[in-house]
């Protein structure tokens, strides 16, 4: 494996580890501190300010008009629509159910890639994707609990829509990801996302516990959680994705989504909410093996 592909895989490992931690943090924030729309607005505004500030210290990149349109449409799909659907899904269903649906992301991405950019669905690639899904499903089903969400059916439906829009985002932005740096792409993605989300969230800010100031002595916890989402689950995570897409195909990128429920489970073990059982390290190995098989198949072609 050459250095570029190695760096791409490393960035995906980091990004999806962060995203995995972000799922329970997001569920907690939505239950006590923010609404889905104020959560999204805070992410988008914070990330836009950070990426634009970073861009001031980097060489300027001129983005062609057509590419800028693709980047912005990708931002609306991959950030505004997909992540807003994720936030609403976590309002109605549990992180376990959401993680279960998220394991289908590689399948959705592979099918969308075949439909939109005519990427071949080979037997080896299909086998690799299935192994990754089995790894994530093994961990989820071993810790299965009955649904306790407000409306699990609605939440699962929103989760499916979220993964489909994320898959389309990965596909349509792959070519522009190879032309421009991650910072250049993300400063435009989050600018258009902030502009799109803010009008829907503006009136809700005073009504949320985090922004109303009505949180007693626990405000530090809420702001720490939101800061983690902005700095790590948004800025760092969304920086890593376009960077990886410079060197890896969309299906390979999507396979790492299956790390998220595994990471969430290990976090639960760390804080004493779960126990280390045989299925968790096995699931991790299967997901990494899945990424290796698909990448190996792509490098041979």
């Amino acid at each position: 494996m050459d250095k570029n592909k190695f760096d791409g895989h490393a960035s995906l490992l980091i990004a999806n580890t962060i995203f995995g931690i972000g799922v329970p943090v997001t569920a907690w924030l939505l239950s006590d501190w923010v609404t889905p729309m104020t959560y999204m607005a805070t992410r988008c505004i914070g990330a836009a300010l950070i990426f634009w500030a970073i861009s001031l210290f980097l060489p300027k990149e001129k983005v062609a008009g057509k590419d800028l349109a693709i980047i912005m449409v990708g931002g609306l799909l991959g950030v505004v629509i997909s992540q807003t659907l994720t936030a609403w899904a976590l309002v109605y269903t549990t992180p376990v159910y959401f993680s279960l649906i998220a394991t289908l992301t590689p399948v959705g991405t592979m099918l969308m890639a075949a439909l939109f950019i005519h990427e071949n669905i080979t037997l080896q690639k299909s086998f690799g994707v299935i192994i990754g899904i089995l790894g994530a499903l093994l961990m989820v089903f071993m810790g299965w609990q009955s649904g306790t969400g407000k409306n699990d059916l609605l939440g699962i439906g929103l989760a499916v829509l979220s993964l489909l829009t994320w898959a389309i985002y990965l596909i349509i932005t792959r070519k522009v990801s190879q032309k421009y740096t991650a910072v250049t792409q993300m400063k435009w993605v989050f600018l258009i996302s902030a502009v799109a989300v803010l009008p829907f969230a503006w009136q809700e800010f005073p009504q949320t516990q985090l922004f109303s100031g009505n949180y007693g002595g626990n405000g530090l916890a809420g702001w720490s959680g939101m800061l983690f989402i902005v700095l790590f689950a948004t800025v760092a995570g969304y920086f890593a994705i376009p960077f990886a897409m410079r060197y890896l195909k969309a299906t390979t990128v999507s396979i790492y989504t299956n790390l998220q429920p595994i990471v969430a489970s290990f976090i639960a073990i760390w804080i004493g909410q779960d126990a280390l059982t045989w299925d968790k390290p096995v699931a991790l190995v299967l997901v990494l093996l899945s990424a290796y098989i698909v990448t190996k198949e792509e490098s041979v072609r």
Side-chain angles (χ1 to χ4, degrees):
M1 183 184 296
D2 62 44
K3 184 179 183 301
N4 288 336
K5 285 192 174 181
F6 177 83
D7 291 343
H9 284 284
S11 67
L12 289 176
L13 277 169
I14 294 170
N16 283 280
T17 297
I18 293 170
F19 291 153
I21 299 170
V23 171
V25 173
T26 295
W28 172 70
L29 285 169
L30 292 170
S31 65
D32 295 324
W33 296 97
V34 291
T35 65
M37 296 312 300
T38 55
Y39 166 85
M40 280 303 303
T42 305
R43 289 186 72 179
C44 294
I45 294 171
L49 291 173
I50 292 171
F51 277 118
W52 277 91
I54 293 173
S55 71
L56 296 177
F57 299 94
L58 298 176
K60 291 184 178 180
E61 280 188 305
K62 186 176 181 180
V63 182
K66 182 180 178 181
D67 292 339
L68 183 59
I70 293 173
I71 290 171
M72 288 189 169
V73 170
L76 293 175
L77 286 171
V79 177
V80 177
I81 298 177
S82 180
Q83 295 304 304
T84 299
L85 287 169
T86 293
W88 278 108
L90 288 169
V91 168
Y92 289 106
T93 193
T94 65
V96 172
Y97 276 14
F98 179 84
S99 297
L100 177 63
I101 298 303
T103 63
L104 300 175
T105 301
V107 175
T109 304
M110 187 169 62
L111 293 175
M112 292 291 178
L115 180 64
F116 288 106
I117 59 176
H118 308 294
E119 188 175 299
N120 291 332
I121 301 178
T122 64
L123 182 62
Q124 183 171 335
K125 182 181 291 186
S126 300
F127 178 65
V129 168
I130 290 170
I131 286 179
I133 292 172
L134 288 176
L137 288 178
L138 171 67
M139 191 271 318
V140 172
F141 279 122
M142 286 295 290
W144 184 267
Q145 296 178 353
S146 59
T148 55
K150 295 179 182 178
N151 187 331
D152 287 306
L153 183 61
L154 176 59
I156 289 170
L158 293 172
V160 170
L161 292 175
S162 173
L163 78 86
L164 288 176
T165 52
W166 177 253
I168 295 172
Y169 160 74
L170 292 178
I171 292 164
I172 69 172
T173 59
R174 183 172 185 269
K175 287 187 177 180
V176 295
S177 294
Q178 297 171 333
K179 295 182 181 180
Y180 308 103
T181 64
V183 171
T184 296
Q185 294 174 68
M186 290 301 105
K187 74 177 186 179
W188 290 108
V189 162
F190 283 102
L191 177 61
I192 188 64
S193 298
V195 171
V197 170
L198 190 57
F200 298 96
W202 185 256
Q203 294 183 340
E204 295 183 13
F205 275 104
Q207 303 168 18
T208 61
Q209 186 172 353
L210 186 64
F211 295 102
S212 67
N214 184 26
Y215 37 64
N218 297 321
L220 181 60
W223 280 107
S224 297
M226 198 68 242
L227 193 63
F228 170 84
I229 293 297
V230 172
L231 291 181
F232 294 97
T234 307
V235 174
Y238 275 86
F239 174 87
I241 296 298
F243 174 81
M245 289 174 65
R246 293 171 70 96
Y247 312 113
L248 304 172
K249 289 190 175 182
T251 302
T252 305
V253 173
S254 69
I255 283 172
Y256 281 90
T257 305
N258 287 331
L259 280 174
Q260 295 179 26
I262 299 171
V263 170
S265 180
F266 277 104
I267 292 297
I269 293 169
W270 181 51
I271 63 178
Q273 293 180 349
D274 199 353
L276 180 62
T277 53
W278 66 269
D279 55 291
K280 296 177 179 68
V282 170
L284 178 61
V285 170
L286 287 174
V287 171
L288 296 178
L289 178 61
S290 170
Y292 172 78
I293 290 172
V294 173
T295 305
K296 187 74 174 177
E297 188 269 346
E298 290 174 349
S299 64
V300 171
R301 293 178 61 210

